[in-house]
């Protein structure tokens, strides 16, 4: 693949989380496969800006060398992590304007423009009002917006939903091709398409270089990693951890996010709970690999129940069975391949009992570990899946239909 590719994403290396890692792995894979990718993003601020005050998380030297040449960061006046809704809206509008200006200045420089959403303003700035047929515009959907925002308890956007749903439909229909990271999104998007826009499923994954092998902890241990935001059920997660502490089952939590402080405060006196600071991806994967099972607990809204959490992918990727209250395609995959435990809106008691059962059944736990590794090797290796994406981007519409997963 020799085409010049512009990738647009709010989240990118060295930020933490599955969104930034997804864009990083795609960027590196495109480059490895002979493409000429440029990443347009912002200064790193997730989960918070202070993490990146020094070079601690800038650990990929090959990417560091591309800063300001192939990795272009828009200089923003505001902060995308601002807790004030109005200030965040101002930030997004500034981002919209800066991106529109960049695209106008460089509209002849790229063969493919690949924009990842959320953030929704980046997709709007890229897709709305485009005139020329060239370049090819590819929209990646990692979240069903505005439904995901409307599902958050602390935000009420119901008054604006008719307008936002119109803009959502316009966004889908403005794209030449669409990439999704969750099969549950396909039917939702197809219902809103006016033409047969090709859709390709590209799950989050793990690179061959990230396949860490670690000895398991001597004492049976549970791990929770990543964001505790409004999509995660922090109260349920706290109750599960307290119940595990009462049963003298060790828990490690490597957390950040808007509700992480509440989590830390609630569990600070629990003897079997160890709370650690955020760490880079490889260190985090190494910690997950050491533990016997991992936790992923989401809010009960259908919008969140039908996602594919990055922490579950990471857990499967290192052979640590996930335990979750999730439903939809992820629940179906975990149950079908016996990768761990998933049940829609599973109660605290159910989840704690399942963890205790696995603690007491070494063979069942080993089976799930082996099943997770087998599923990873067959479905979640970035180097394999990126080949399919490249084929999708290169083919014409008729051929695209034949390779959809």
């Amino acid at each position: 693949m020799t085409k010049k590719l512009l990738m647009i994403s709010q989240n990118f290396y060295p930020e933490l989380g599955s969104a930034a890692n997804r864009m990083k792995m795609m960027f590196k894979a495109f480059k490895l496969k002979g493409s000429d990718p440029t990443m347009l993003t912002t200064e790193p601020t997730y989960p918070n800006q202070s993490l990146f005050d020094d070079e601690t998380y800038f650990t990929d030297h090959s990417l560091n060398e591309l800063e300001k040449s192939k990795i272009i960061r828009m200089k923003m006046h505001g902060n995308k992590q601002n807790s004030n809704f109005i200030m965040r809206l101002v930030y997004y509008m500034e981002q919209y304007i800066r991106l529109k200006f960049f695209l106008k200045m460089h509209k002849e420089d790229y063969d493919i423009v690949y924009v990842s959403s959320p953030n929704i303003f980046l997709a709007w700035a890229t897709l709305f009002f485009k005139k020329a047929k060239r370049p090819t515009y590819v929209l990646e959907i990692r979240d069903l917006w505005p439904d995901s925002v409307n599902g958050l308890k602390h935000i009420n956007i119901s008054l604006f939903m008719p307008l936002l749903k119109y803009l959502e439909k316009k966004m889908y229909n403005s794209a030449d091709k669409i990439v999704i990271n969750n099969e549950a999104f396909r039917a939702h998007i197809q219902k809103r398409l006016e033409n047969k826009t090709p859709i390709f499923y590209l799950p989050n994954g793990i690179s061959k270089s990230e396949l860490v092998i670690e000895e398991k902890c001597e004492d049976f241990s549970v791990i929770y990693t990543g964001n505790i935001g409004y999509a995660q059920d922090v109260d349920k997660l706290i109750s599960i951890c307290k119940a595990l502490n009462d049963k003298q089952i060790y828990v490690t939590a490597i957390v950040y996010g808007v509700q992480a402080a509440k989590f830390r405060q609630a569990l600070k006196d629990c003897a079997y709970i160890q709370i650690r600071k955020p760490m880079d991806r490889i260190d985090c994967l190494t910690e997950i690999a050491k533990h016997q099972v991992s936790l992923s607990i989401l809010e009960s809204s259908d919008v969140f129940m039908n996602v594919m959490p990055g922490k579950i992918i990471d857990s499967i990727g290192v052979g640590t069975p996930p335990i979750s209250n999730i439903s939809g395609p992820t629940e179906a995959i975990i149950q079908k391949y016996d990768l761990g435990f998933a049940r829609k809106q599973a109660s605290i008691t159910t989840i704690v009992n399942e963890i205790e059962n696995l603690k007491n059944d070494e063979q069942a736990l080993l089976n799930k570990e082996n099943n997770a590794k087998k599923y990873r090797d067959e479905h979640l290796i970035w180097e394999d899946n990126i080949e399919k994406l490249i084929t999708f981007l290169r083919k014409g519409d008729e051929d695209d239909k034949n390779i959809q997963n």
Side-chain angles (χ1 to χ4, degrees):
M1 183 179 183
T2 58
K3 292 185 176 181
K4 299 189 70 174
L5 170 68
L6 176 64
M7 300 178 68
I8 304 170
S9 174
Q10 175 169 278
N11 299 106
F12 187 61
Y13 164 87
E15 291 182 320
L16 307 184
S18 59
N21 182 68
R22 179 181 176 90
M23 291 298 106
K24 170 189 171 182
M25 299 310 300
M26 288 175 64
F27 180 89
K28 296 186 71 170
F30 280 133
K31 191 169 182 61
L32 181 66
K33 297 298 181 180
S35 181
D36 184 14
T38 297
M39 171 60 69
L40 182 62
T41 184
T42 57
E43 295 292 331
T45 62
Y46 183 83
N48 61 72
Q49 194 166 358
S50 62
L51 277 182
F52 308 102
D53 288 342
D54 56 33
E55 302 298 312
T56 301
Y57 292 92
F58 287 84
T59 56
D60 192 314
H61 300 296
S62 64
L63 289 180
N64 293 343
E65 293 176 352
L66 298 177
E67 290 283 347
K68 298 183 180 179
S69 58
K70 291 299 181 180
I71 299 175
I72 303 171
R73 300 185 187 271
M74 292 182 286
K75 301 291 184 181
M76 307 296 297
H77 290 97
N79 181 359
K80 66 185 174 187
Q81 303 303 329
N82 198 308
S83 59
N84 184 288
F85 177 76
I86 299 299
M87 294 307 298
R88 290 189 73 171
L89 186 60
V90 171
Y91 172 89
Y92 290 136
M93 291 304 300
E94 179 191 0
Q95 196 175 70
Y96 177 97
I97 294 169
R98 288 183 180 275
L99 177 53
K100 288 294 290 183
F101 181 77
F102 180 92
L103 291 172
K104 183 177 181 180
M105 295 294 294
H106 298 275
K107 60 183 178 182
E108 302 296 331
D109 294 349
Y110 302 100
D111 302 299
I112 298 173
V113 174
Y114 189 107
V115 59
S116 184
S117 171
N119 150 0
I120 205 70
F121 286 85
L122 294 180
W124 290 350
T126 303
L127 297 172
F128 291 1
F129 311 113
K130 63 185 180 72
K131 298 177 180 179
K133 293 183 178 180
R134 181 183 178 278
T136 299
Y137 289 88
V138 182
L139 169 66
E140 178 180 271
I141 297 296
R142 295 183 288 103
D143 203 355
L144 290 182
W145 193 95
D147 298 64
S148 58
V149 178
N150 198 43
L152 297 175
K153 294 178 180 179
H154 75 296
I155 295 179
N156 184 2
I157 59 170
S158 56
L159 181 64
F160 305 101
M161 281 299 284
L163 173 61
L164 296 176
K165 296 298 285 185
Y166 165 78
L167 293 173
E168 178 195 19
K169 181 178 179 179
K170 178 176 173 60
M171 176 179 67
Y172 298 148
N173 284 281
S174 297
D176 298 313
K177 299 181 180 184
I178 296 174
V179 176
I180 55 177
N181 73 340
N182 189 335
E183 270 293 357
F185 296 169
R186 187 185 295 273
H188 175 94
I189 294 171
Q190 285 178 331
K191 289 179 182 178
R192 289 154 179 81
L193 287 174
E194 297 170 356
N195 300 303
K196 293 183 178 180
T197 304
I199 300 177
F200 180 77
Y201 168 55
L202 179 72
N204 285 336
I206 190 165
S207 170
K208 292 177 181 178
S209 65
E210 298 173 329
L211 299 182
V212 295
I213 300 175
E214 293 289 330
E215 290 291 330
K216 294 294 183 181
C217 298
E218 184 176 347
D219 294 313
F220 183 94
S221 301
V222 181
I223 189 167
Y224 180 93
T225 62
N227 185 39
I228 306 182
Y230 294 116
Q232 287 74 38
D233 191 335
V234 65
D235 293 324
K236 193 168 191 175
L237 182 60
I238 289 170
S239 295
I240 291 169
C241 289
K242 284 184 175 180
L244 292 173
N245 182 76
D246 292 342
K247 293 179 178 291
Q248 299 183 348
I249 294 176
Y250 290 96
V251 178
T252 300
I254 304 170
V255 298
Y256 52 80
V258 295
Q259 300 200 85
K262 179 179 180 179
F263 176 86
R264 294 189 191 98
Q265 179 65 26
L267 300 172
K268 66 178 182 178
D269 296 324
C270 294
Y272 288 84
I273 311 294
Q274 181 186 29
I275 301 178
R276 303 180 63 182
K277 294 180 180 180
M279 55 184 66
D280 67 29
R281 177 168 172 79
I282 293 299
D283 288 341
C284 192
L285 288 174
T286 299
E287 287 301 315
I288 298 171
K290 292 178 182 177
H291 290 69
Q292 278 74 17
V293 298
S294 72
L295 274 174
S296 176
I297 306 298
L298 297 171
E299 285 285 358
S300 59
S301 168
D302 286 344
V303 175
F304 304 126
M305 288 285 104
N306 285 305
V307 301
M308 177 74 83
K311 55 175 61 68
I312 288 182
I313 296 293
D314 292 344
S315 183
I316 294 171
V318 296
T320 297
I323 308 295
S324 182
N325 65 336
I326 202 165
S327 62
T330 305
E331 177 191 17
I333 289 171
I334 291 173
Q335 290 184 355
K336 178 180 178 180
Y337 296 95
D338 191 25
L339 309 178
F341 174 84
R343 183 180 300 169
K344 182 178 181 180
Q345 299 181 17
S347 68
I348 294 167
T349 300
T350 298
I351 289 174
V352 172
N353 287 344
E354 182 63 27
I355 292 172
E356 193 170 29
N357 290 340
L358 287 174
K359 178 186 177 183
N360 297 326
D361 191 339
E362 292 184 5
Q363 189 57 53
L365 181 61
L366 181 61
N367 289 342
K368 291 180 189 296
E369 290 176 7
N370 291 333
N371 291 340
K373 294 174 183 176
K374 185 174 185 293
Y375 182 85
R376 169 202 71 198
D377 293 342
E378 293 177 353
H379 300 278
L380 300 178
I381 300 298
W382 268 118
E383 288 83 352
D384 298 335
N385 290 339
I386 207 70
E387 289 277 7
K388 301 174 186 177
L389 175 62
I390 289 173
T391 302
F392 174 76
L393 296 180
R394 294 172 69 180
K395 293 284 187 177
D397 285 0
E398 291 303 315
D399 291 328
D400 285 337
K401 297 171 188 174
N402 296 328
I403 66 166
Q404 289 181 29
N405 287 3

